[in-house]
């Protein structure tokens, strides 16, 4: 699959579901957003880039703490939702821009902080995206990544990637904490901190957000039922298909 065909698939998958992501409890709230808000209190006079902003929840949190936010996403429909919601919330410091994560249309050293939440697992080339993040960050600038995290263990990793890909054909990969540290270092950024957490996912709404076809929803349920006791226990798989994933919030910095 070429880069452009993958990007086309991502936009197709998410464009029609933009409003569903705006009202999704999983995306609209969470301890990671609370942590993000508290961290950004230290950067009031800054310009923040929200990379892969989706329906804009991280952008809205950032906009209450910083001077200016650029919400950036591949999906034009997502960006329309962000613009409308920002106006409704009275957040006049949020602007939108469309494009790929791997090719940011911004000048070098444009941003004080780059954030990204629940987007990186869709990126075609995470390494390239992080190198561009480094380019657009000012010296000493901060990068904060929030995403579903692979457990790292091979059996658990395969299980997670499989259910994610069956649910969403634009899924590329959830990365482990070790993989994130490697990607960050390879991009020339300096890892500063790491927080992990657990995120319960209610099956019916998780499926509905992506309009996963019934046959693939059924395949996920069959795959869950066939999992080992160890995997079912780790992901806390429930009778209705609901389960719990790991999440990561990692911070890195560009050298001053």
């Amino acid at each position: 699959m070429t880069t452009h065909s993958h990007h086309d698939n991502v936009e197709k998958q998410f464009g029609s579901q933009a409003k569903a992501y705006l009202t999704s409890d999983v995306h609209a709230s969470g301890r990671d957003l609370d942590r993000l808000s508290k961290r950004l209190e230290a950067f009031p006079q800054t310009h923040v880039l929200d990379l892969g902003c989706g329906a804009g929840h991280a952008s809205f949190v950032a906009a209450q703490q910083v001077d200016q936010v650029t919400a950036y996403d591949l999906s034009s429909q997502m960006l329309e939702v962000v613009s409308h919601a920002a106006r409704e919330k009275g957040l006049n410091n949020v602007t939108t821009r469309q494009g790929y994560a791997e090719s940011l249309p911004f000048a070098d050293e444009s941003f004080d902080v780059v954030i990204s939440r629940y987007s990186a697992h869709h990126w075609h080339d995470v390494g390239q995206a992080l190198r561009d993040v480094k380019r657009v960050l000012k010296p000493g600038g901060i990068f904060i990544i929030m995403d579903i995290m692979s457990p790292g263990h091979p059996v658990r990793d395969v299980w997670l990637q499989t259910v994610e890909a069956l649910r969403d054909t634009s899924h590329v990969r959830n990365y482990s904490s070790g993989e994130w540290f490697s990607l960050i270092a390879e991009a020339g950024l300096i890892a500063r901190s790491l927080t992990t957490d657990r995120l319960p996912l209610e099956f019916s709404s998780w499926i509905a957000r992506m309009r996963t076809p019934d046959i693939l929803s059924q395949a996920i349920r069959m795959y869950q039922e066939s999992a080992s006791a160890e995997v079912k226990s780790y992901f806390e798989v429930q009778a209705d298909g609901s389960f719990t994933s790991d999440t990561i919030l990692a911070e890195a910095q560009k050298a001053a």
Side-chain angles (χ1 to χ4, degrees):
M1 180 179 286
T2 66
T3 301
H4 287 287
S5 65
H6 174 71
H7 288 148
D8 291 343
N9 192 34
V10 172
E11 182 161 18
K12 178 182 177 183
Q13 286 287 94
F14 284 91
S16 63
Q17 288 298 86
K19 290 183 179 178
Y21 274 79
L22 180 65
T23 57
S24 162
D25 288 340
V26 168
H27 293 81
S29 61
R31 288 188 290 267
D32 60 338
L33 288 180
D34 295 336
R35 293 179 180 118
L36 176 66
S37 178
K38 186 171 181 61
R39 184 68 180 102
L40 292 179
E41 288 178 358
F43 305 98
Q45 305 300 318
T46 55
H47 189 178
V48 171
L49 172 64
D50 184 2
L51 179 53
C53 64
H57 299 296
S59 292
F60 304 148
V61 166
Q64 296 174 62
Q65 302 291 355
V66 305
D67 187 56
Q68 186 179 357
V69 176
T70 296
Y72 182 81
D73 203 87
L74 180 60
S75 169
S76 59
Q77 290 169 279
M78 281 287 192
L79 294 175
E80 289 172 8
V81 166
V82 172
S83 294
H84 180 73
R87 287 194 299 271
E88 285 193 334
K89 295 173 182 292
L91 298 172
N92 300 318
N93 58 340
V94 177
T95 58
T96 61
R97 189 80 178 267
Q98 184 179 12
Y100 303 142
E102 298 87 354
S103 182
L104 302 177
F106 306 108
D108 295 357
E109 301 181 5
S110 296
F111 299 95
D112 304 279
V113 181
V114 177
I115 62 176
S116 185
R117 183 174 186 254
Y118 295 153
S119 174
H121 58 273
H122 296 289
W123 298 349
H124 182 267
D125 187 337
V126 172
Q128 176 56 40
L130 293 184
R131 288 189 290 275
D132 230 23
V133 165
K134 180 192 175 188
R135 179 184 65 79
V136 302
L137 273 174
K138 295 177 182 178
I142 297 295
F143 171 59
I144 299 173
I145 182 72
M146 296 157 280
D147 207 354
I148 300 294
M149 181 180 74
S150 165
H153 182 279
V155 172
R156 298 171 189 168
D157 177 73
V158 168
W159 190 89
L160 176 66
Q161 309 300 342
T162 301
V163 296
E164 291 274 23
L166 285 170
R167 176 207 178 222
D168 170 15
T169 59
S170 69
H171 176 77
V172 176
R173 178 164 183 79
N174 295 120
Y175 300 92
S176 68
S177 57
E179 287 173 318
W180 271 117
F181 280 137
S182 294
L183 288 162
I184 286 168
E186 288 166 6
L189 295 167
I190 304 162
R192 292 300 190 201
S193 65
L194 168 69
T195 302
T196 62
D197 208 340
R198 299 277 284 172
L199 179 68
L201 294 164
E202 194 276 321
F203 187 80
S204 61
S205 57
W206 182 69
I207 289 295
R209 276 196 297 278
M210 286 310 304
R211 296 182 182 172
T212 304
D214 286 343
I215 191 169
L216 294 179
S217 298
Q218 293 168 18
I220 294 170
R221 294 295 288 118
M222 291 178 65
Y223 188 61
Q224 288 179 325
E225 290 167 9
S226 67
S228 68
E230 186 271 335
V231 166
K232 288 180 180 178
S233 174
Y234 184 85
F235 289 101
E236 301 174 20
V237 179
Q238 307 298 309
D240 67 351
S242 300
F243 65 100
T244 298
S245 280
D246 296 304
T247 63
I248 187 170
L249 189 158
E251 181 176 315
Q253 187 172 27
K254 181 175 178 176

